[in-house]
Amino acid sequence: NSSILIPSPPLSSISNTITHKQTPKMPFKRYVEIGRVALVNYGKDYGKLVVIVDVVDQNRALVDAPDMVRGQMNFKRLTLTDITIDIPRVPKKKTLIEAMEKADVKNKWESSSWGRKLIVQKRRASLNDFDRFKLMLAKIKRSGVIKQELAKLKKENAS
Amino acid sequence: MAAKRKTPVKSRNPDLIRGVGKYSRSKMYHKRGLWAIKAKNGGVFPRHDPKPKAPAAAAEKPPKFYPAEDVKKPLLNKRKPKPTKLRASITPGTVLILLAGRFMGKRVVFLKQLPSGLLLVTGPFKINGVPLRRVNQSYVIATSTKVDISGVNVEKFDDKYFAKEVDKKKKKSEGEFFEAEKEDKKKLPEDKKEDQKSVDASLIKSIEGVPDLKAYLAARFSLKSGMKPHELVF
């Protein structure tokens, strides 16, 4: 007869997420749910952003993206992101694309620090030999300017 | 033989079935105009006398030696070696990285492929000290950087240009053996220097048009820590 008190979530956190998120203080922040945007980290679609549209069983999700055929993927191949979109279970491709536009997934992703890091990594990997040379010159120039300022400050401090 | 026609004449006698023509012999005689040729020649088909043959070469002496067994003639070999297939990434004006030899690591401009298959390459000499030189395709990395090479005339360069000078044989007496073997280093002939200058003149102009390209060509390439060649994009 011990009653388990389940505190109701504060109003601000009520969204269309599944109600298992009941206790406000959970160690996990990103949950697998319908509409969760995830990054594929293994396999043929490596590096793509996909949306979880259904859960198959304990290990697999049905996953969809505007430029790919909807298919199952093991959770181990996915890394969850902070972005979710509002979709019914297994939406049509058109609905999915509209929902992604509405939630502005692309811009949210590309302005997030994670997304920006990936963009920078891709750019660095695609640098030409000439580009790497120009990059080296730019780095030297920048560090030269920084060292000058530093020297100025040191001089001011010393005097 | 009569002058060859520009295009081979299609038969005037189309096949009804393989082996059976549409027109009979007499009809074909008329179609080919043999009657007109005969008429032009006065009722007889024109006949050309065979050209007088040159008198047979002076009677050959019978050979001194006949081999006991039949001597086999070696098989005829008509193979003509082709120049090595040039990688698609190497086009005139590409910047190449030399991987071996005296100029290892130097970035160099590709001019053309010589008939032997080797690549003709130049520094330019003023920028990085690499002269007009031949280089093997296998010892080269092609970058995707291209230089405008339209002002350069490379027609006159081929493999014979780069052949070594042949020294006249000198008989050495015993005393001379112990003297200094070589007199002094061979001087580069003036016309080769002129060739270098003329090729490089327009090249350098187009190189200076691109910012940092001159310094890029002057620097050597080397692998630094963390660079993975199989992941690098050149």
Side-chain angles (χ1 to χ4, degrees), chain A residues 125-130 132-134 137, chain B residues 97 107 144-145 211 215-216 221 233-234:
Chain A
S126 72
L127 282 182
N128 201 345
D129 188 46
F130 189 25
R132 267 174 263 133
F133 180 79
K134 286 190 273 191
L137 293 182
Chain B
I97 301 177
R107 294 166 173 126
S144 48
T145 317
Y216 173 62
F221 171 83
V233 168
F234 282 100

Side-chain angles (χ1 to χ4, degrees), chain A residues 12 18 20 36 80 82 107 114-115 126 135 143-144 152:
Chain A
S12 57
I18 301 176
H20 66 254
R36 174 67 64 183
L80 304 180
D82 288 328
N107 285 333
W114 184 357
S126 72
L135 180 68
S143 87
K152 263 193 240 161

Side-chain angles (χ1 to χ4, degrees), chain B residues 13-79:
Chain B
N13 193 358
D15 280 345
L16 293 175
I17 295 177
R18 192 183 90 113
V20 178
K22 185 170 170 188
Y23 299 110
S24 65
R25 284 183 87 88
S26 46
K27 280 267 177 6
M28 281 311 295
Y29 174 87
H30 179 76
K31 267 172 105 66
R32 284 171 64 195
L34 298 176
W35 54 273
I37 296 176
K38 271 192 170 176
K40 215 162 145 192
N41 206 36
V44 190
F45 205 72
R47 184 170 164 269
H48 299 283
D49 287 311
K51 289 201 186 73
K53 273 176 56 182
E60 289 172 23
K61 271 174 40 186
K64 277 191 276 191
F65 170 73
Y66 293 94
E69 306 276 338
D70 281 334
V71 173
K72 279 199 173 163
K73 260 175 59 181
L75 288 173
L76 195 60
N77 181 9
K78 286 207 183 138
R79 178 177 175 265

Side-chain angles (χ1 to χ4, degrees), chain B residues 17-218:
Chain B
I17 295 177
R18 192 183 90 113
V20 178
K22 185 170 170 188
Y23 299 110
S24 65
R25 284 183 87 88
S26 46
K27 280 267 177 6
M28 281 311 295
Y29 174 87
H30 179 76
K31 267 172 105 66
R32 284 171 64 195
L34 298 176
W35 54 273
I37 296 176
K38 271 192 170 176
K40 215 162 145 192
N41 206 36
V44 190
F45 205 72
R47 184 170 164 269
H48 299 283
D49 287 311
K51 289 201 186 73
K53 273 176 56 182
E60 289 172 23
K61 271 174 40 186
K64 277 191 276 191
F65 170 73
Y66 293 94
E69 306 276 338
D70 281 334
V71 173
K72 279 199 173 163
K73 260 175 59 181
L75 288 173
L76 195 60
N77 181 9
K78 286 207 183 138
R79 178 177 175 265
K80 281 201 188 59
K82 294 193 292 197
T84 337
K85 186 154 178 238
L86 199 58
R87 262 182 272 160
S89 53
I90 303 181
T91 62
T94 313
V95 173
L96 308 174
I97 301 177
L98 301 180
L99 294 174
R102 180 155 176 238
F103 300 105
M104 186 160 44
K106 291 262 191 207
R107 294 166 173 126
V108 126
V109 177
F110 169 67
L111 297 175
K112 76 171 188 179
Q113 184 181 33
L114 300 169
S116 65
L118 298 172
L119 311 180
L120 176 64
V121 126
T122 180
F125 185 70
K126 269 236 141 103
I127 296 184
N128 55 19
V130 179
L132 280 165
R133 200 170 204 264
R134 295 184 297 173
V135 134
N136 189 313
Q137 208 192 149
S138 305
Y139 298 94
V140 136
I141 294 181
T143 66
S144 48
T145 317
K146 313 263 183 221
V147 171
D148 181 21
I149 213 178
S150 47
V152 182
N153 184 358
V154 275
E155 298 293 311
K156 64 180 279 205
F157 300 113
D158 65 343
D159 292 291
K160 281 199 274 294
Y161 179 88
F162 294 98
K164 274 209 172 70
E165 305 277 328
V166 183
D167 267 348
K168 286 201 299 277
K169 279 177 83 164
K170 283 199 276 207
K171 287 234 153 117
K172 278 205 172 131
S173 69
E174 274 200 28
E176 287 175 2
F177 255 117
F178 298 105
E179 282 177 12
E181 294 254 324
K182 282 220 181 67
E183 288 147 7
D184 45 4
K185 263 171 58 173
K186 303 241 180 66
K187 283 262 164 35
L188 196 59
E190 276 304 312
D191 55 342
K192 292 218 171 168
K193 293 190 187 169
E194 287 304 315
D195 288 336
Q196 181 76 55
K197 282 199 197 125
S198 65
V199 165
D200 287 354
S202 51
L203 255 188
I204 292 184
K205 239 189 267 156
S206 48
I207 287 173
E208 286 177 343
V210 181
D212 293 331
L213 189 58
K214 194 158 176 219
Y216 173 62
L217 291 176

Side-chain angles (χ1 to χ4, degrees), chain A residues 143-156:
Chain A
S143 87
V145 171
I146 292 175
K147 287 203 178 88
Q148 268 189 330
E149 287 301 317
L150 185 62
K152 263 193 240 161
L153 289 174
K154 278 198 185 153
K155 211 160 114 183
E156 281 176 23

